[in-house]
Amino acid sequence: MTSLEPVAHASPPQSTPSPDPGAAGEHGPSTGRLVGVDLTRAFAVFGMFAVHVGPFEAARGDIGGWIRSLSEGRASALFATLAGFSLMLIAGRFEPKTGLAGRQAKARIVIRAVILLVVGTALTMTDFGDAVILNAYAVYFLLALPLTRLRARTLAVIAAVLALVGPQVGFGLRAWLGEPVLNSINAYDPLERLCGVGVLDLLLTGFYPAISWMSFVIAGMALGRLDLAAGAVQRRLAVLGPALIALGYGMSWLALKILGGGIPDRVPDGMPRKDAMADLAAGSAPPPAKWSLEADPWLLLAAEPHSGSTFDVIGCLGVAITVLLCATVAMAKLPRLRRLAGPVIAVGTMSLTIYVGHILAILALPGKSATPPDANSTVLLCAFVLGAVVFAALWSRFFRRGPLEDLLNSATKPARLLR
């Protein structure tokens, strides 16, 4: 199961679960369907829509532009956090699976990683380019395999250390190796030659480099080990999420103000942001590319979307925790809202299908097939959201899983043969 799949049932804990999935786990962790996680995943899907088809910065007066600005960088970070959460549902949520069950769980994760790498590579070969996150997911899953038996506290510490150290190490490695060396390595990388996003991109230089993005995945794994229905856990997360938001974005603003630096006015391909947005609006800009290898060191202090800085990672983690907590509490405390949100929750249960489908839909739009498309607007964003909700609601009435989720589940069945 990936974060682009429905959250079904957690592994049974050692203690007796609460009979009410939405109730606080006073007598043991809840193991019912995690509807709040599905709802959070739907929000991440809609955030991706906003980034890919929402209006540009020039249209910030429009509500669609405001949603796009809020979603940029944070929607994909939320996806990565949920990916870590879902890994725990495979590896054993409250207690890690061991022995044969543990080996089969790891085999399922590896199979899913391979499939996501294939699908992600195929989508990256289109005009959508580097914006595809599925092949990055594959790498995250493989890197997370040795951590699936760790406790929540240990995982949280590792995520914190990576958030503090990873961006600086990544920046130093890119500067130390230099573009000629990196280009030489890429020349021997079949993935790079096939789709333009190779191993170095996925680990160090790409749009979602593992060296900084694994912080989200491991933090999600830590969250997966917690009983989100427990009141004590909810209270701690209610403090932690907003605190991380304030720390990440507040400290970035303060550091730049005190040191007199400026947030680099650049987009991922190294073009000045205003010029790039004008070109995108005119339909003459190339697909999003990786950060310039000569990026301004001030990026290490900026909390700009996809800057990959420590402040950006901390702020995005705070947003992910806060959204997940709010969705979980709302679904547990407001049953009427839960019923009304059913069609939206359905989107979260088949987010792999919806994610791939929205890319294919963008590529099929008239005009230049790239992201963002020529017709990006609030109207187009609303059309994508409405289309996803209607499709998911209708499909879920007749089928347990989304079409791609069902295929992915079937593909991992051979893991049961492992002995």
Side-chain angles (χ1 to χ4, degrees):
M1 185 178 302
T2 74
S3 75
L4 294 172
E5 286 187 80
V7 176
H9 297 278
S11 300
Q14 298 302 314
S15 54
T16 304
S18 169
D20 180 5
E26 300 297 337
H27 303 289
S30 168
T31 58
R33 186 174 184 83
L34 302 174
V35 180
V37 180
D38 286 331
L39 180 61
T40 304
R41 188 171 293 113
F43 291 154
V45 169
F46 297 154
M48 288 288 201
F49 289 176
V51 173
H52 295 155
V53 302
F56 297 115
E57 291 187 33
R60 275 184 176 170
D62 191 347
I63 188 173
W66 177 76
I67 294 174
R68 184 184 189 276
S69 179
L70 279 181
S71 302
E72 196 170 12
R74 299 176 188 90
S76 48
L78 180 56
F79 257 129
T81 304
L82 293 172
F85 192 104
S86 293
L87 283 177
M88 292 295 96
L89 301 182
I90 300 175
R93 188 178 170 203
F94 299 113
E95 293 292 335
K97 296 177 182 177
T98 58
L100 176 61
R103 293 194 297 272
Q104 290 178 343
K106 289 185 177 180
R108 290 177 61 198
I109 293 173
V110 171
I111 292 172
R112 290 168 189 273
V114 171
I115 293 173
L116 289 177
L117 181 62
V118 172
V119 175
T121 299
L123 292 176
T124 303
M125 293 171 66
T126 69
D127 288 338
F128 213 81
D130 297 37
V132 176
I133 199 174
L134 295 184
N135 40 3
Y137 266 19
V139 174
Y140 302 158
F141 288 175
L142 297 177
L143 293 176
L145 276 178
L147 309 177
T148 53
R149 298 184 63 180
L150 299 180
R151 299 293 181 182
R153 186 182 299 273
T154 305
L155 290 167
V157 170
I158 294 174
V161 171
L162 280 179
L164 293 173
V165 175
Q168 284 64 240
V169 172
F171 188 90
L173 282 174
R174 291 190 294 269
W176 176 62
L177 291 174
E179 192 167 1
V181 174
L182 294 175
N183 287 339
S184 298
I185 296 174
N186 283 333
Y188 294 95
D189 184 349
L191 271 181
E192 175 73 25
R193 285 181 288 180
L194 183 63
C195 67
V197 178
V199 175
L200 271 178
D201 296 308
L202 297 172
L203 295 177
L204 183 64
T205 62
F207 215 46
Y208 313 101
I211 197 164
S212 54
W213 280 68
M214 278 301 294
S215 298
F216 301 124
V217 178
I218 298 173
M221 294 170 71
L223 291 170
R225 279 275 147 83
L226 300 175
D227 181 15
L228 297 182
V233 172
Q234 292 176 353
R235 287 189 291 272
R236 293 190 188 102
L237 294 181
V239 174
L240 179 62
L244 290 177
I245 294 174
L247 179 64
Y249 298 116
M251 290 299 292
S252 171
W253 175 85
L254 185 61
L256 289 170
K257 189 172 184 66
I258 291 176
L259 296 177
I263 296 177
D265 191 27
R266 296 188 173 274
V267 290
D269 61 2
M271 296 174 63
R273 183 176 293 274
K274 293 180 181 178
D275 293 347
M277 289 300 135
D279 287 347
L280 285 170
S284 59
K290 39 187 167 285
W291 286 101
S292 169
L293 297 177
E294 296 81 26
D296 194 321
W298 286 107
L299 278 173
L300 294 175
L301 296 180
E304 289 286 275
H306 290 290
S307 62
S309 71
T310 291
F311 297 121
D312 177 40
V313 172
I314 291 174
C316 286
L317 268 177
V319 172
I321 291 172
T322 302
V323 173
L324 176 59
L325 176 63
C326 290
T328 300
V329 173
M331 292 299 97
K333 303 295 185 182
L334 303 172
R336 182 172 298 180
L337 177 62
R338 176 172 170 168
R339 289 192 293 272
L340 291 175
V344 177
I345 293 170
V347 173
T349 67
M350 58 186 74
S351 50
L352 175 59
T353 296
I354 300 296
Y355 179 84
V356 173
H358 103 279
I359 291 179
L360 297 179
I362 289 175
L363 294 173
L365 288 173
K368 184 178 179 181
S369 295
T371 177
D374 296 349
N376 65 306
S377 65
T378 300
V379 173
L380 184 61
L381 172 58
C382 291
F384 268 70
V385 171
L386 181 60
V389 170
V390 171
F391 170 81
L394 292 176
W395 186 274
S396 63
R397 290 179 63 89
F398 302 100
F399 303 98
R400 180 184 174 190
R401 299 184 180 91
L404 293 186
E405 284 76 13
D406 191 54
L407 289 174
L408 189 58
N409 181 70
S410 299
T412 61
K413 288 182 178 179
R416 300 174 184 173
L417 303 176
L418 187 65
R419 291 293 182 266

